[in-house]
Amino acid sequence: YLGFAVGRGKAVKSAYASPAKKNAAGTTKDAIRVTRERRIDLMERGTDRKVFQCLVVGAKDAGKTVFMQSLAGRDMAAVAAMGRRHSPYVINRIAVKEDIKYLLLREVDVLSPQDVLSSSETAADVVCFLYDVSNPESFAFCATIFLKYFYRTKTPCLMVATKVEREEVEQRWETQPSEFCSHHELPRPVRFSRNMVGDTSNAVFTQLATMAVYPHLRKVYYLTDSSLLSKISGIAAIAALAGFLVFKNL
């Protein structure tokens, strides 16, 4: 889902680029699949989509490039060799309850919290906020963007602490990250460590993909430990399916 509508009339649908290969004819339209709007997926608590967009937000030097390139399997040396020439998009497959999904990371090109996000950016399936634990100003950037665009929305959000091997300092914000997340019913911050760099199957990417696939479980993510996330998501998916079938046959 890329955040734009196609077609006209009452039954408005959405389009996203499919990661599937082109057929022998090689037509471009074969790489596009038309699906219903995300709001309908939220109402029915289910989706048949395979591609999910994750917005990556963070202040300068928060580690966005290293984090994103890790989804492509690139380690620190490979990222350093890239220099400043890299795409703001990275996509790879992630297993969510034994079902293959594609997580598309999209870096937000904002230099300050005062910059404006586009409608396509705010329409992401999940938002990942990165902050550097060694920089006292880093979390304020994330908190400001969250409150400005995603507070009181149904978009799942996750705070990710980076550079955790360094000395952690107090963040210059009204509350510290853990307390901020608790107050706004967000999952507690997760830590992206150096040994996760280049690991495409690390727990952070799995959590983001799971949150994107099951956005209606936002409060469950807040209340439960991330290690139990996949188990709870699977149970909830079965319960949602059972409820749908009962409703359908009333």
Side-chain angles (χ1 to χ4, degrees):
Y1 176 76
L2 298 180
F4 56 86
V6 294
R8 298 175 181 240
K10 295 182 180 179
V12 179
K13 298 183 178 181
S14 300
Y16 66 79
S18 168
K21 293 182 180 180
K22 298 179 183 179
N23 60 16
T27 58
T28 307
K29 67 179 181 180
D30 294 323
I32 300 293
R33 182 177 179 185
V34 179
T35 64
R36 63 190 181 186
E37 285 186 285
R38 187 180 60 168
R39 63 179 182 82
I40 301 177
D41 290 338
L42 284 168
M43 290 170 53
E44 299 192 359
R45 301 188 174 187
T47 182
D48 63 348
R49 291 192 292 130
K50 294 294 184 183
V51 181
F52 296 86
Q53 182 183 177
C54 172
L55 205 64
V56 179
V57 181
K60 183 179 179 182
D61 296 328
K64 296 188 295 294
T65 300
V66 171
F67 177 80
M68 291 181 59
Q69 294 302 322
S70 290
L71 183 62
R74 296 187 177 94
D75 58 17
M76 293 291 289
V79 174
M82 293 173 62
R84 295 183 176 273
R85 300 180 61 181
H86 60 271
S87 170
Y89 298 93
V90 177
I91 188 170
N92 207 342
R93 61 174 62 190
I94 299 289
V96 178
K97 291 306 296 179
E98 300 181 354
D99 189 15
I100 297 299
K101 304 293 184 181
Y102 287 84
L103 184 65
L104 172 65
L105 300 183
R106 177 180 181 179
E107 182 179 352
V108 177
D109 187 20
V110 291
L111 299 178
S112 75
Q114 287 69 44
D115 290 348
V116 178
L117 298 185
S118 68
S119 58
S120 66
E121 290 170 333
T122 57
D125 295 295
V126 63
V127 184
C128 176
F129 293 92
L130 300 184
Y131 69 95
D132 174 2
V133 300
S134 65
N135 181 353
E137 308 291 345
S138 190
F139 182 73
F141 186 99
C142 298
T144 302
I145 295 292
F146 170 79
L147 293 173
K148 185 176 181 179
Y149 292 101
F150 301 102
Y151 179 50
R152 297 189 185 280
T153 70
K154 294 183 179 179
T155 305
C157 297
L158 182 67
M159 298 289 177
V160 177
T162 62
K163 304 183 182 181
V164 296
E165 290 78 15
R166 299 182 181 181
E167 182 180 356
E168 191 165 348
V169 298
E170 183 176 349
Q171 296 294 315
R172 291 174 186 161
W173 186 253
E174 299 170 2
T175 56
Q176 293 306 293
S178 294
E179 186 179 349
F180 179 91
C181 291
S182 178
H183 178 74
H184 294 289
E185 297 189 347
L186 298 174
R188 61 188 180 186
V190 297
R191 299 169 73 83
F192 184 77
S193 61
R194 191 180 184 88
N195 61 11
M196 291 181 174
V197 175
D199 180 7
T200 61
S201 61
N202 74 65
V204 180
F205 294 143
T206 301
Q207 182 167 352
L208 287 169
T210 305
M211 293 172 71
V213 175
Y214 303 107
H216 57 284
L217 299 180
R218 176 174 174 175
K219 288 199 173 182
V220 174
Y221 305 137
Y222 157 62
L223 293 171
T224 189
D225 186 89
S226 61
S227 64
L228 301 176
L229 189 60
S230 60
K231 183 182 296 184
I232 290 177
S233 299
I235 295 172
I238 294 172
L241 176 60
F244 172 74
L245 293 175
V246 170
F247 175 80
K248 185 176 181 181
N249 289 284
L250 287 178

